[in-house]
Amino acid sequence: MSNNTKEPPIIGANIYLGINYIIPGFSIEGVSINVQITNLTKEIRFYNKPFFKVSIPIERNADTFIMTNVVGEAIVFPRKMEYGEVVSEGYQLVPNNIGMFEKLLEKDIDATITAYVTTTLGEVYKSEPYPIKDIVRQGKYVK
C-alpha cells in the first residue's frame, strides 16, 4: 500500500479561453478575448504566444490566426514559466473581428474558437472550444 502513495508526475498546461469586459471607469468600453496559461509541468517551460483556430475555415483552408490587439502590457514570448505559474493576456476585439465571426456563424451556427499554446520543446496545449455565437453576442460592446 505504501508504494501507491506517490502521485504520478504532472506534465502539461491548462489553457483557459474566455471573454472579458474592458471597464476603465464606470462603463463598458470594449470586449477582449483572454487566454490564461498555467504551467503544470514540474520543470521550467518556455511558452510561445497563443494562437487561435476556428472550427470551420475563415477563407479557403485558413482556420488559424493570431491576435495582436493586446490589452495592457504585452507579454514577451517565449515566456519562461515555473511550475504552477499563471500568465494571462487579453486581446481587444474590434469591429472587423466581430464581422469575421458573424460570417463564420452564417456557415455554421455552432462554430467554435479554440486557443492553442506551444512550448519551445514542441508541446501543444489547447483550451476548451468556445462558442463563437457567445462572442458575437457581445459585439454591441466592441468599439
Side-chain angles (χ1 to χ4, degrees), residues 1 3 19 36-37 39 47 53 59 67 73 90 103 118 123 125 138:
M1 199 73 150
N3 290 340
I19 296 287
Q36 181 178 300
I37 306 166
N39 181 19
Y47 289 86
K53 185 172 183 169
E59 281 187 30
M67 295 192 73
E73 192 170 326
K103 287 180 184 176
T118 61
E123 300 159 323
Y125 303 105
Q138 305 307 319

Side-chain angles (χ1 to χ4, degrees), residues 20-21 23 29-30 54 62 73-74 76 89-90 96 112-113 127 136 142:
N20 287 341
Y21 293 107
I23 307 174
E29 300 216 354
V54 288
E73 192 170 326
V76 177
E89 188 163 68
N96 286 344
T112 60
I113 183 172
S127 70
V136 170
V142 172

Side-chain angles (χ1 to χ4, degrees), residues 102-119:
E102 287 173 337
K103 287 180 184 176
L104 292 175
L105 290 179
E106 290 171 7
K107 296 177 190 177
D108 180 2
I109 192 68
D110 295 319
T112 60
I113 183 172
T114 305
Y116 284 80
V117 177
T118 61
T119 67

Side-chain angles (χ1 to χ4, degrees), residues 61-78:
N61 293 332
D63 62 357
T64 306
F65 59 95
I66 63 168
M67 295 192 73
T68 57
N69 297 338
V70 176
V71 176
E73 192 170 326
I75 296 171
V76 177
F77 289 101

Side-chain angles (χ1 to χ4, degrees), residues 2 5 9-10 23 25 37 49 70-71 77 83 89 92 95 101 104 109 114 116 118 121 130-131 133 137 139 141:
S2 63
T5 58
I10 298 175
I23 307 174
I37 306 166
K49 183 173 183 67
V70 176
V71 176
F77 289 101
Y83 172 69
E89 188 163 68
Q92 186 167 1
F101 291 144
L104 292 175
I109 192 68
T114 305
Y116 284 80
T118 61
L121 297 176
Y130 195 91
K133 62 185 167 193
R137 195 174 305 139
Y141 299 114

Side-chain angles (χ1 to χ4, degrees), residues 15-108:
I15 310 301
Y16 175 76
L17 175 64
I19 296 287
N20 287 341
Y21 293 107
I22 301 169
I23 307 174
F26 294 104
S27 64
I28 298 173
E29 300 216 354
V31 178
S32 67
I33 291 180
N34 191 64
V35 179
Q36 181 178 300
I37 306 166
T38 305
N39 181 19
L40 299 177
T41 304
K42 298 285 186 180
E43 298 89 27
I44 292 171
R45 285 291 192 269
F46 288 83
Y47 289 86
N48 296 311
K49 183 173 183 67
F51 64 92
F52 301 89
K53 185 172 183 169
V54 288
S55 58
I56 57 172
I58 299 164
E59 281 187 30
R60 298 188 184 167
N61 293 332
D63 62 357
T64 306
F65 59 95
I66 63 168
M67 295 192 73
T68 57
N69 297 338
V70 176
V71 176
E73 192 170 326
I75 296 171
V76 177
F77 289 101
R79 168 68 188 256
K80 177 182 177 181
M81 293 180 65
E82 304 280 341
Y83 172 69
E85 187 175 352
V86 178
V87 296
S88 182
E89 188 163 68
Y91 306 96
Q92 186 167 1
L93 295 175
V94 296
N96 286 344
N97 297 133
I98 297 299
M100 176 188 73
F101 291 144
E102 287 173 337
K103 287 180 184 176
L104 292 175
L105 290 179
E106 290 171 7
K107 296 177 190 177
D108 180 2

